[in-house]
Amino acid sequence: MKKYFVLIISALLLSLSANADERPITFDRLPVQARTFINNHYLASEVTHVLRDESVIRPEYTVYIAHGVSVEFDYNGSLEKISSKETPIPADVIPAQIQDYVARHYPDATFVEYEVDHKHYEVKLSNRVELNFNRKFTTTRKHILNIFTKSIF
C-alpha cells in the first residue's frame, strides 16, 4: 500500500512540474522580432496574455490574441507557428508560393494554421486539408483531416 501511495504522489508531482516551466510574462519581455511581428499583424491591445516556456533548452514564447489566435516564437523571436480558430491568418505571413498553390487548388479555403521550421512549412486550411511543403515550396504531403482527427477546428 505504501508503494502505491509513493507512486501516486510521484506521478502527481511530476505532472505538476511539467507545466511549472511555463510562466506568464508581459508583452514587452518578448524578443524584439516577436514584438515587431505582433505589432505588424495584430493590435497590441488585442494580446490577452504571453507565456514563456522554459522546459526546453532555449525558451519559447506563445502569444495569445483575441478571437482565438495563438502565435508561437522560438528563443530569438522567429515565428514557429500561428493558429487561428475564428479569423483567417493574415495573408502576408504565408509565403507567396504557398498562397498561390492554395489559391489554385483550394480557392475557397482560408489558412487556419501555419507552421514553419528549418526543413518545411505546414498549413492547415479551413476545408480541413493539411499541406506540407519543403523549403523549395514543393508539396511533400497532402492530408485531409477527418472528424476523428484531433485538430484546431
Side-chain angles (χ1 to χ4, degrees):
M1 180 75 168
K2 188 175 180 181
K3 287 182 183 178
Y4 291 117
F5 180 73
V6 170
L7 183 63
I8 290 171
I9 295 299
S10 298
L12 179 62
L13 290 174
L14 183 62
S15 69
L16 290 174
S17 68
N19 291 332
D21 293 333
E22 201 170 77
R23 303 188 193 295
I25 63 169
T26 58
F27 181 75
D28 61 324
R29 301 272 323 264
L30 280 172
V32 173
Q33 189 174 347
R35 284 195 318 263
T36 301
F37 179 91
I38 297 297
N39 288 328
N40 286 342
H41 299 287
Y42 298 97
L43 297 174
S45 62
E46 292 184 329
V47 173
T48 60
H49 61 287
V50 181
L51 297 177
R52 178 182 166 125
D53 183 358
E54 295 182 5
S55 64
V56 292
I57 295 171
R58 295 179 174 163
E60 295 180 344
Y61 303 89
T62 304
V63 179
Y64 293 92
I65 300 169
H67 310 295
V69 176
S70 66
V71 186
E72 298 175 21
F73 300 97
D74 68 8
Y75 67 97
N76 66 1
S78 294
L79 178 67
E80 288 186 331
K81 182 176 180 179
I82 182 168
S83 302
S84 182
K85 294 181 181 180
E86 297 175 25
T87 58
I89 292 172
D92 60 338
V93 171
I94 298 166
Q97 298 91 328
I98 295 175
Q99 290 183 45
D100 293 344
Y101 180 91
V102 169
R104 275 194 320 273
H105 295 91
Y106 308 100
D108 297 327
T110 59
F111 295 96
V112 295
E113 187 172 294
Y114 170 68
E115 190 169 351
V116 61
D117 65 27
H118 64 282
K119 292 184 180 179
H120 78 285
Y121 302 91
E122 180 180 304
V123 293
K124 290 182 183 174
L125 306 176
S126 57
N127 62 358
R128 304 188 70 81
V129 170
E130 179 181 302
L131 301 167
N132 287 20
F133 297 85
N134 63 21
R135 283 298 194 171
K136 296 181 180 179
F137 300 105
T138 303
T139 307
T140 58
R141 180 173 175 250
K142 173 185 163 188
H143 179 72
I144 299 175
L145 302 170
N146 61 41
I147 60 171
F148 301 109
T149 304
K150 184 180 177 184
S151 70
I152 62 166
F153 306 106

